[in-house]
């Protein structure tokens, strides 16, 4: 069988791909060598801006299968029948490091899931922790700046990391998660995923429920100690990518069981703490986990750049039956995620194969822009309403409306009777075994002891004391011992 002919990007056959055209034997190169210039120019443009956060990622395709009836809580089409399967794409990531960073580091992990439903793509953007460091998006750029590379030293600085946390007492709960045993997952397969934010489900009768997602790994939770993480990151920076790729290639398909917590919307106002605060979890005794379905990954991407690097997740990609809540961090991300993709990939990034709907077709009046491939035919109109049978609105909202009242302004979140920055961090500490507590204290002290300002250390110690007296005392003693060495 004859081989296919190598061509230029315009389709012309390439005569010689080994030698550039020159002015005579051994002479200078010629500007007319279109093939050479095209190759060099494309090579210079092979990289796009990396994500500011979640730059280092891995991904896989699979399916979500409904195992339990949840139609009493949502009329989302992809959840309406037990046994129904929906194709998905899941991207895992570290948060703080750059694209070339190592996988086995102490950092939260992104857990971003795209459901290719028959009513459009539904994006669920979460982490491997049920909480986060902050609860207002106006602090997000400052938080990320404090965790990323310092503009002068070019590396992550404990002074910056802990100085921000010293001024953010609400971060104490997530810091306890991050510095605990689950701070370095052994692999992407061996960690849970969480929607983290509070979302809204609406049933066919219009009843609204607030919902939290929990994806429990069926492989079991496995994590690395700080020492194991450092060793693995040095030996194989791509450890988690390699593990995920090879497991699926072997047919060992990782899976997670989805559970949800559901709060009737009417209960949110008088709940003992703000249920939309991303730094807090809902106790399971108040809102037990209810099983929904099974997530399975069974196919690796063919091209990491095209499918993993260009995958674009936006939490504002809802489908009928699912919508937002008053969660401030979620509200900020409804804008920020989509805007990041418009910057990185262009306004037509939703036309890329990994981002385009698969179980339905997008019909809208978006036109033109960089890399447009959304031509609608000679007679198609690009405005609405029109008299030419263009797509029309349904008049049916995706979710129930959120009640609002009061005056506009830069308000702090309303306090509920038991709102507190430290109680849940203390609860998490008290749930830990003696060995887990010792490792947590050592991990915190190892970073905090490197901080140069005593005031920053004292502020952070005060947070741990407020969470639990033993917790604070042990961290304080460990920091003092390390600074005296």
């Amino acid at each position: 069988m004859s081989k296919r002919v190598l061509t230029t990007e315009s389709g012309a056959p390439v005569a010689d791909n080994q030698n550039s055209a020159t002015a005579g034997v051994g002479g200078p190169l010629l500007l007319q060598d279109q093939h050479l210039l095209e190759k060099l120019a494309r090579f210079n443009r092979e990289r796009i801006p990396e994500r500011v956060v979640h730059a280092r990622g891995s991904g896989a395709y699979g399916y979500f299968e409904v195992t339990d009836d949840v139609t009493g809580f949502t009329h989302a089409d992809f959840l309406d029948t037990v046994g129904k399967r929906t194709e998905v794409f899941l991207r895992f990531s570290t948060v703080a490091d750059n694209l070339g960073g190592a996988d086995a580091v102490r950092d939260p992990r992104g857990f971003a899931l795209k459901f290719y439903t028959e009513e459009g793509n539904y994006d669920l953007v979460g982490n491997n922790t049920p909480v986060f460091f902050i609860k207002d998006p106006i602090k997000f750029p400052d938080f990320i700046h404090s965790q990323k590379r310092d503009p002068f030293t070019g590396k992550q600085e404990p002074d910056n990391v802990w100085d921000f946390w010293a001024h953010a007492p609400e971060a104490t709960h997530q810091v306890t998660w991050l510095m605990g045993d689950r701070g370095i997952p052994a692999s992407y397969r061996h960690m849970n995923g969480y929607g983290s934010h509070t979302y809204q489900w609406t049933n066919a009768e219009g009843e609204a429920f607030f919902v939290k997602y929990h994806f429990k790994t069926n492989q079991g939770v496995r994590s690395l100690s700080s020492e194991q993480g450092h060793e693995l990151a040095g030996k194989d920076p791509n450890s988690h990518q390699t593990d995920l790729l090879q497991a699926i290639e072997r047919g060992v398909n990782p899976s997670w069981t989805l559970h949800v917590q559901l709060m009737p919307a009417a209960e949110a106002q008088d709940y003992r703490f703000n249920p939309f605060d991303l730094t807090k979890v809902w106790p399971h005794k108040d809102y037990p986990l209810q099983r929904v379905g099974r997530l399975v990954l069974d196919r690796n991407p063919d091209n990491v750049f095209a499918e993993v690097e260009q995958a674009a997740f936006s939490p504002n990609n809802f489908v009928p039956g699912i919508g937002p809540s008053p969660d401030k961090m979620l509200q900020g991300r409804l804008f920020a995620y989509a805007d990041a993709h418009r910057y990185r990939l262009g306004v037509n990034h939703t036309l890329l194969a990994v981002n385009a709907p698969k179980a339905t077709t997008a019909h809208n009046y978006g036109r033109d822009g960089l890399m447009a491939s959304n031509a609608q035919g000679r007679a198609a109109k690009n405005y609405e309403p029109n008299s030419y049978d263009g797509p029309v609105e349904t008049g049916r909202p995706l979710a129930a409306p959120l009640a609002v009242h009061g005056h506009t302004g830069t308000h702090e979140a309303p306090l509920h009777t038991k709102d507190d920055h430290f109680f849940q961090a203390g609860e998490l500490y008290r749930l830990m075994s003696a060995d887990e507590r010792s490792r947590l204290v050592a991990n915190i002290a190892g970073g905090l002891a490197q901080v140069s300002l005593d005031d920053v250390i004292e502020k952070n110690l005060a947070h741990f004391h407020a969470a639990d007296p033993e917790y604070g005392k042990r961290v304080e003693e460990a920091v003092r011992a390390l600074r005296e060495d």
Side-chain angles (χ1 to χ4, degrees), residues 52-53 94-98 102 105-108 133 142-165 178-179 230 443 446-448 450-451:
V52 178
V53 289
T94 53
V95 175
D97 214 341
N98 298 90
V105 295
R106 188 171 296 278
D107 197 17
F133 298 93
D142 299 297
F143 165 63
I144 295 301
H145 288 167
S146 74
Q147 310 297 300
K148 297 282 277 186
R149 296 176 186 271
D150 182 86
F152 174 67
T153 66
K155 60 189 182 73
Q156 190 182 59
E157 292 292 346
D159 275 349
N160 302 351
V161 170
W162 289 96
D163 186 34
F164 183 89
W165 290 340
L178 177 62
M179 296 300 173
H230 291 152
N443 290 335
L448 192 53
Q450 299 178 54
V451 173

Side-chain angles (χ1 to χ4, degrees), residues 51 53-61 89-95 99 103 108-113 126-128 185 187-194 215 217 219 240-241 243-245 248 254-256 295-297 300 308-309 311 313:
R51 290 168 169 87
V53 289
H54 297 279
R56 171 73 180 169
S58 303
Y61 293 94
F89 181 78
L90 175 58
R91 185 179 188 269
F92 305 98
S93 57
T94 53
V95 175
L99 188 57
D103 287 339
R109 299 301 191 277
F111 194 95
L113 189 58
N127 285 325
N128 71 328
S187 80
Y188 289 133
R189 297 182 296 128
H190 293 93
M191 69 181 197
N192 294 335
Y194 301 89
F215 291 86
T217 175
Q219 291 70 238
H240 290 28
Q241 162 70 15
D243 175 86
L244 181 66
L245 175 76
I248 295 175
S255 66
W256 289 258
L295 169 68
V296 179
L297 300 181
N300 284 310
V308 179
E309 182 65 11
F313 300 86

